[in-house]
């Protein structure tokens, strides 16, 4: 099963490489990883998505917790949560394709953020599935470039991951 | 407040940490620190002949004392030479602080002379590592290193120090912190009482219980509590390779070591048990054999300070995260207060069954298939001559398994071996680390002619610091353990497992100023050992010629259950 693990990490040199190293060292799978400082500059927030059975996920969270720089973590998929990913996608758009692409962008509630006579650059946010679906409706021959941020997630309601 | 240079701070921190000896080797990046060492005599430096030996000396001291060993190596090749020793300590959860020199900070990343990314290289084999960004950080970084290395599940910590952090003319205020607190690191101090209660109920109602004691019991200094619990319940005890000595080896409740070369009664008892109380063993592949066939009828209580060791290889029914000493204290209290009556009849039958296994197979090897001395005999005589009370530091191979099987350890911290990484070359430096710190104790290195040659240069260090340890070389003229696997799995094609052109060990050790002896016949063995151990102030190296065709048995059948073992070259369970 797919899990989203959210980690509060000391914002120190080398902390991130320890997290990444752990996954390759122990043969854990990593699908996406995002990291940035939080409102507290001494802490980074890291979100990673991974796939594994319960036993593997248990080992992943235990090993992450063992890293000295990991302050706290939560497996968001254990409760109600919201996930978002941002995608920038550059699409070939000439002639009839221009209207076609525009229509898809509207349906998916995306935005065209850059235009040339032959290209639209589209910004789209949402769950990863939605981004996948958007890519599918565009003719692969017209997809010039895809940039995705990886998943960010947060628990619903009062629950927070904080110190 | 005092003003000290970074170099002086390193040395003063060690003094304030109570460190007596450090083990190391100088080089460019460390020259300031070595100059600071020269100008004081609180912290004594031991100069090895290869950095790997420094790490094993420090590691062995830590294994014997429970306190972190300290290593000092220079940047680049000095640091990489220490890597094997760091990994060795990591695998066995041994507290160690390794200070590595680094090139000047402005050169980092430029492939400067003797630069290597020590923090990167050691990341997967340390509990933690850090690099110094400013000299004033040194006292707190050192305190942090010692704290992390020795608390929770112990392990090695590397502190990487660029040379310009130690410049003698740059002086800063020095104060050694009394304690550290890290918001992101809080080792547990006791087990969950609800879980401990559950464990006690299982323990009291078990019909075929076994207690398995691993290295965790030794790390937590919990041997006494373990022994009290086992005696109170009259349950059989099995010590892992890392746990030998945790429960007394000559006690009749002791069944031996489990696993690949475990005792028949130990493996049988585990396989047929209905409850395993696992105290601080990782249940690694050398113990469990095929995990899907592991102890099919047993419930598993798993106590460990490291949650990631629990349910890693075998799912635990009752996981307890906590330090072994406090969990055992609690277990003892609740067992004494429990109102569950033990099933005396079931336990009687269980012991009867165990005694049958023991009588049929226990501790046997053949002496009739060869004229030559058997390595097992040598260990038995060694145990006799040293009254089972020596520190035995082993290398890796068949001789290690024979020592583990036939030397009866009655005390914890006397059996010093590289169990997790299996590092050939560990034995001699380990024995040196112990002899230096425990000069009045009998210290033995049990080794093979393969292993000893991996760090034989340290005989020179032994001469310099006058370390009268004893080396017992079980000379089978081959990489015996490799050869054994080739005999069993490759139709005896002995690819590269033969040791050609061995030196004349007697002449070799004499050239270092030590005493060499050679034994070829069994009836000379005991008297030679007596003679060697009587030479209290001499390092004696005894080259003992043993049967090169001997195998280590029992040996578990691969991919099978714990009970499936070869008992000799021809018999199976
Ligand atoms: C550094 C290192 N290299 C290789 C091995 C693999 N290995 C394990 S046992 C062994 C043979 C050891 O030979 P020896 O020291 O003579 O001991 P014996 O098995 O003959 O008693 C080897 C090569 C190892 N454990 N460590
Ligand atoms: Mg050999």
């Amino acid at each position: 099963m797919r899990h989203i693990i959210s980690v509060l990490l000391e914002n120190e040199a080398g902390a991130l490489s320890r997290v990444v190293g752990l996954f390759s060292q122990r043969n854990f799978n990593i699908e996406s990883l995002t990291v940035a400082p939080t409102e507290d500059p001494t802490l980074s927030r890291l979100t990673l998505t991974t796939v594994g059975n319960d036993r593997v996920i248990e080992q992943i969270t235990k090993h992450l917790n063992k890293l000295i720089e990991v302050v706290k973590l939560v497996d968001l998929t254990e409760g109600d949560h919201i996930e978002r990913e941002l995608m920038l996608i550059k699409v070939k758009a000439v002639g009839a394709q221009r209207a076609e692409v525009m229509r898809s962008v509207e349906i998916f509630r995306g935005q065209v953020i850059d235009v040339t006579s032959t290209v639209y650059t589209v910004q789209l946010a949402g769950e990863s599935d939605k981004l996948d679906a958007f890519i599918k409706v565009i003719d692969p021959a017209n997809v010039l470039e895809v940039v995705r941020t990886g998943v960010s997630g947060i628990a619903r309601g009062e629950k927070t991951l904080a110190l | 407040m005092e003003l000290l240079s970074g170099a002086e701070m390193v040395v003063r921190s060690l003094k304030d940490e109570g460190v007596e000896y450090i083990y190391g080797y100088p080089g460019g990046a460390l020259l300031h620190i070595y100059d600071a060492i020269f100008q004081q005599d609180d912290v004594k430096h031991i100069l090895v002949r290869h950095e790997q030996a420094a790490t094993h000396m420090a590691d062995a001291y830590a294994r014997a004392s429970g306190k972190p060993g300290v290593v000092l190596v220079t940047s680049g090749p000095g640091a990489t030479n220490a890597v094997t020793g760091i990994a060795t300590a990591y695998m066995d959860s041994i507290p160690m602080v390794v200070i590595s020199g680094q090139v000047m900070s402005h050169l980092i990343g430029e492939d400067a002379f003797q630069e290597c990314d020590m923090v990167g290289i050691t990341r997967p084999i340390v509990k933690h590592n850090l690099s110094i960004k400013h000299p004033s950080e040194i006292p707190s970084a050192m305190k942090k290193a010692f704290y992390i290395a020795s608390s929770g599940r112990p392990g090695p910590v590397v502190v990487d120090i660029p040379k310009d952090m130690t410049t003698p003319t740059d002086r800063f205020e020095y104060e050694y912190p009394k304690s550290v607190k890290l918001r992101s690191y809080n080792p547990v101090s006791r087990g969950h009482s609800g879980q401990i209660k559950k464990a006690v109920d299982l323990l009291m109602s078990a019909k075929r219980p076994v207690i398995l004691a691993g290295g965790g019991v030794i790390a937590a200094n919990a041997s006494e509590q373990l022994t009290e619990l086992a005696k109170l319940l009259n349950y059989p005890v099995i010590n892992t390779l890392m746990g030998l000595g945790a429960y007394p080896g000559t006690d009749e409740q002791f069944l031996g070591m489990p696993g690949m070369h475990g005792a028949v009664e130990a493996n049988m008892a585990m396989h047929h048990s209905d409850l395993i109380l696992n105290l601080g063993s990782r249940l690694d592949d050398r113990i469990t054999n095929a995990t899907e066939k592991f102890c099919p009828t047993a419930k598993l209580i798993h106590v460990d300070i490291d949650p990631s060791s629990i349910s890693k290889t075998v799912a635990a029914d009752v996981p307890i995260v906590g330090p072994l000493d406090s969990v055992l204290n609690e277990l003892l209290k609740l067992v004494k207060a429990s109102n569950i009556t033990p099933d005396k009849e079931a336990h009687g039958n269980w012991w009867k069954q165990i005694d049958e296994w023991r009588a049929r197979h226990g501790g046997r090897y053949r002496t009739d298939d060869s004229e030559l001395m058997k390595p097992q005999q040598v260990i038995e005589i060694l145990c006799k001559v040293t009254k089972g009370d020596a520190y035995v530091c082993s290398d890796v191979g068949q001789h290690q398994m024979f020592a583990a099987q036939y030397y009866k350890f009655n005390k914890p911290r006397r059996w010093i071996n590289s169990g997790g990484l299996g590092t050939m070359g560990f034995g001699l430096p380990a024995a040196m680390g112990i002899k230096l710190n425990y000069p009045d104790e009998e210290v033995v290195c049990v080794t093979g002619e393969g292993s000893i040659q991996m760090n034989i240069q340290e005989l020179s260090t032994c001469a310099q610091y006058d370390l009268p340890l004893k080396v017992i070389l079980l000379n089978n003229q081959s990489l015996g353990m490799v050869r054994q696997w080739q005999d069993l799995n490759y139709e005896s094609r002995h690819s590269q497992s033969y040791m050609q052109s061995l030196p004349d060990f007697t002449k070799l050790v004499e050239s270092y100023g030590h005493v060499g002896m050679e034994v070829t016949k069994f009836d000379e063995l005991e008297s030679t050992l007596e003679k060697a151990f009587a030479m209290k102030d001499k390092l004696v190296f005894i080259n003992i010629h043993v049967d090169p065709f001997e195998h280590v048995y029992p040996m578990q059948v691969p991919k099978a259950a714990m009970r499936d073992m070869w008992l000799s070259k021809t018999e199976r369970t």
Side-chain angles (χ1 to χ4, degrees):
Chain A
M1 208 183 103
R2 176 171 172 271
H3 288 252
I4 305 173
I5 298 173
S6 200
V7 183
L8 274 182
L9 193 66
E10 294 288 0
N11 189 6
E12 282 171 7
L16 179 60
S17 56
R18 246 182 262 281
V19 173
V20 177
L22 171 68
F23 277 74
S24 60
Q25 178 193 348
R26 300 213 176 249
N27 229 345
F28 299 143
N29 166 307
I30 215 170
E31 299 228 310
S32 80
L33 175 73
T34 70
V35 60
T38 63
E39 78 286 3
D40 172 351
T42 66
L43 287 174
S44 298
R45 175 83 174 230
L46 182 147
T47 313
L48 60 90
T49 53
T50 180
V51 183
N53 60 31
D54 290 352
R55 183 113 160 245
V56 172
I57 300 298
E58 183 182 322
Q59 281 293 311
I60 290 177
T61 54
K62 283 172 165 181
H63 278 289
L64 280 171
N65 261 319
K66 253 175 87 173
L67 296 178
I68 305 289
E69 285 117 337
V70 167
V71 185
K72 253 185 183 179
L73 65 81
V74 62
D75 180 351
L76 288 173
T77 17
E78 275 179 355
D80 281 344
H81 66 281
I82 300 160
E83 59 170 285
R84 287 290 178 274
E85 189 177 357
L86 181 76
M87 173 168 72
L88 303 179
I89 176 169
K90 206 170 266 191
V91 185
K92 204 188 310 165
V94 280
Q97 287 165 357
R98 289 181 84 82
E100 174 76 27
V101 171
M102 265 326 261
R103 241 193 327 275
S104 301
V105 171
E106 271 161 33
I107 293 168
F108 279 83
R109 296 177 200 278
Q111 282 167 285
V112 175
I113 55 171
D114 187 43
V115 188
T116 72
S117 56
T118 55
V119 168
Y120 280 152
T121 302
V122 178
Q123 168 184 308
L124 194 62
E127 295 190 2
S128 304
D129 292 353
K130 175 175 147 181
L131 309 192
D132 296 341
F134 181 79
I135 297 172
K136 268 200 202 120
V137 303
I138 308 285
D139 179 352
N142 292 335
V143 176
L144 299 174
E145 193 176 352
V146 176
V147 184
R148 295 172 70 150
T149 57
V151 173
S152 284
I154 198 161
R156 277 188 188 279
E158 313 277 294
K159 258 211 264 169
T160 58
L161 178 65
L163 279 189
Chain B
M1 222 180 282
E2 238 178 320
L3 292 183
L4 296 183
S5 73
E8 290 166 334
M9 287 192 196
V10 171
V11 181
R12 182 68 77 78
S13 302
L14 295 174
K15 180 195 169 197
D16 288 344
E17 198 58 52
V19 174
E20 186 182 1
Y21 290 112
I22 61 174
Y23 313 88
Y25 209 88
L30 291 181
L31 286 171
H32 299 324
I33 295 180
Y34 271 89
D35 197 48
I37 291 173
F38 189 85
Q39 301 189 40
Q40 54 84 56
D41 7 70
D42 296 312
V43 179
K44 298 190 244 337
H45 180 274
I46 303 298
L47 178 70
V48 290
R49 301 296 177 267
H50 185 295
E51 288 87 350
Q52 184 187 349
T55 59
H56 295 329
M57 283 187 82
D59 168 316
Y61 162 70
R63 288 175 201 248
S65 69
K67 297 190 200 120
V70 182
V71 179
L72 182 59
V73 291
T74 194
S75 69
T80 54
N81 272 352
V83 165
T84 300
I86 296 170
T88 302
Y90 179 69
M91 286 294 273
D92 290 342
S93 312
I94 305 303
M96 182 152 102
V97 172
V98 179
I99 300 163
S100 54
Q102 183 54 276
V103 300
M104 305 242 209
S105 47
H106 70 273
L107 294 176
I108 290 177
E110 295 185 356
D111 302 321
F113 177 62
Q114 297 197 324
E115 177 184 357
C116 81
D117 176 11
M118 186 59 170
V119 168
I121 288 174
T122 58
R123 191 177 296 123
I125 52 163
V126 291
K127 183 168 174 190
H128 195 57
N129 57 20
L130 32 124
S131 64
I132 302 293
K133 306 278 186 248
H134 191 275
S136 61
E137 289 173 9
I138 290 174
S140 62
M142 294 291 285
K143 183 79 204 175
K144 195 168 151 184
F146 277 93
Y147 169 60
I148 292 174
S150 51
S151 56
R153 178 178 177 179
V157 176
V158 169
V159 184
D160 199 42
I161 310 184
K163 187 172 184 181
D164 52 327
M165 299 296 121
T166 60
T167 310
T169 46
D170 295 346
R171 307 174 81 78
F172 299 89
E173 288 186 349
Y174 173 85
E175 188 183 12
Y176 197 63
K178 287 195 176 54
S179 62
V180 247
K181 215 178 141 30
L182 296 169
R183 63 178 172 185
S184 58
Y185 173 70
N186 298 294
V188 278
S189 56
R190 52 197 307 259
H192 187 279
S193 14
Q195 292 293 92
I196 297 178
K197 170 100 200 12
K198 263 195 228 162
V200 169
D201 290 348
L202 282 181
L203 263 182
M204 296 305 292
S205 37
K207 295 188 184 335
R208 300 184 310 280
V210 294
I211 300 175
L212 176 69
V217 174
I218 292 179
N221 297 314
S223 288
E224 255 175 54
Q225 293 97 311
L226 161 68
T227 309
E228 190 185 342
L229 182 72
K231 287 286 164 198
L232 194 64
L233 294 165
N234 189 33
Y235 286 177
V237 185
I238 295 166
N239 288 338
T240 70
L241 180 67
M242 289 306 298
L244 290 177
Y247 188 82
T250 52
D251 188 272
E252 57 191 25
Q253 275 169 250
F254 182 59
L255 306 192
M257 179 171 79
M260 180 167 281
H261 295 300
V264 171
E265 55 269 39
N267 283 344
M268 284 296 202
M270 272 183 75
H271 182 88
H272 293 283
S273 67
D274 69 347
L275 179 71
I276 300 169
L277 172 62
N278 172 17
L279 304 168
S281 151
R282 294 189 283 119
L283 293 179
D284 82 338
D285 55 304
R286 283 296 189 268
I287 290 179
T288 59
N289 210 352
T291 45
E292 66 279 9
K293 296 176 187 159
F294 178 77
C295 305
T297 51
K299 281 211 163 11
L300 176 65
I301 305 168
H302 192 156
V303 190
D304 204 293
I305 194 152
D306 177 1
S308 73
S309 284
I310 299 177
S311 298
K312 179 172 64 181
T313 58
V314 179
D317 297 286
V318 181
I320 302 174
V321 180
L324 263 307
D325 49 350
S326 94
V327 171
L328 270 165
N329 284 338
E330 200 123 331
L331 279 174
L332 269 167
K333 209 169 66 195
L334 294 185
V335 163
K336 284 176 192 163
S338 172
N339 48 23
I340 303 175
T341 338
D343 188 339
K344 283 262 155 27
E345 196 189 332
H347 294 167
N349 290 337
W350 182 226
W351 270 115
K352 220 167 93 201
Q353 170 68 77
I354 290 172
D355 287 337
E356 268 170 40
W357 287 322
R358 182 141 58 181
R360 244 186 315 162
H361 311 286
R364 268 194 324 172
Y365 56 90
R366 297 178 59 167
T367 49
D368 58 350
D369 60 352
S370 158
E371 299 284 286
L372 296 156
M373 211 181 324
K374 292 290 178 177
Q376 299 93 326
Q377 294 178 299
V378 179
I379 302 294
E380 283 180 335
I381 298 293
L382 174 69
C383 189
K384 185 175 161 207
V385 170
T386 56
K387 303 185 181 63
D389 203 32
Y391 283 86
V392 178
C393 303
S394 179
D395 259 306
V396 171
Q398 290 185 322
H399 60 273
Q400 174 191 27
M401 291 300 113
F402 293 134
Q405 291 174 332
Y406 291 94
Y407 200 97
K408 302 297 171 201
F409 294 93
N410 281 329
K411 294 180 195 158
R413 301 191 182 279
R414 298 260 155 170
W415 165 241
I416 310 287
N417 90 131
S418 166
L421 198 68
T423 307
M424 288 172 70
F426 176 81
L428 177 60
M432 291 158 56
I434 308 256
K435 190 67 194 174
L436 178 76
N437 286 280
Y438 300 89
D440 300 331
E441 299 283 346
E442 210 64 86
V443 181
V444 183
C445 164
V446 173
T447 186
E449 73 308 303
S451 295
I452 192 69
Q453 292 190 85
M454 286 216 176
N455 270 320
I456 196 147
Q457 77 287 347
E458 296 306 321
L459 287 172
S460 167
T461 312
C462 293
Q464 180 174 350
Y465 296 99
D466 196 9
L467 301 173
L469 50 92
K470 307 291 178 270
V471 179
I472 302 288
L473 168 60
L474 297 185
N475 189 343
N476 55 8
Q477 294 170 55
S478 73
L479 301 176
M481 191 54 98
V482 174
R483 181 212 284 255
Q484 172 166 350
W485 283 63
Q486 290 168 337
D487 284 340
L488 296 171
N489 301 321
Y490 301 89
E491 297 167 324
S492 297
R493 289 187 296 277
H494 295 150
S495 177
Q496 307 296 319
S497 57
Y498 179 60
M499 274 309 229
Q500 273 161 326
S501 12
L502 289 176
D504 179 334
F505 284 107
T506 302
K507 277 195 194 148
L508 178 73
V509 302
E510 280 172 359
S511 77
Y512 285 106
H514 306 309
V515 177
M517 297 180 180
E518 196 151 349
V519 186
T520 48
K521 293 196 200 71
F522 180 65
D523 50 20
E524 294 164 0
L525 177 67
E526 190 166 340
S527 57
T528 310
L529 291 191
E530 295 281 11
K531 205 166 89 195
F533 282 97
M535 302 174 87
K536 293 279 172 218
D537 50 1
K538 278 288 182 192
L539 186 154
V540 187
F541 187 113
I542 310 141
N543 179 7
I544 305 170
H545 295 265
V546 296
D547 180 2
F549 301 105
E550 187 62 347
H551 285 177
V552 182
Y553 292 109
M555 182 170 184
Q556 280 174 337
V557 177
K559 301 193 185 114
M562 290 214 57
R563 66 171 166 187
D564 301 316
M565 287 166 274
W566 288 99
L567 304 174
S568 70
K569 286 179 186 171
T570 50
E571 309 153 82
R572 259 194 69 163
T573 49

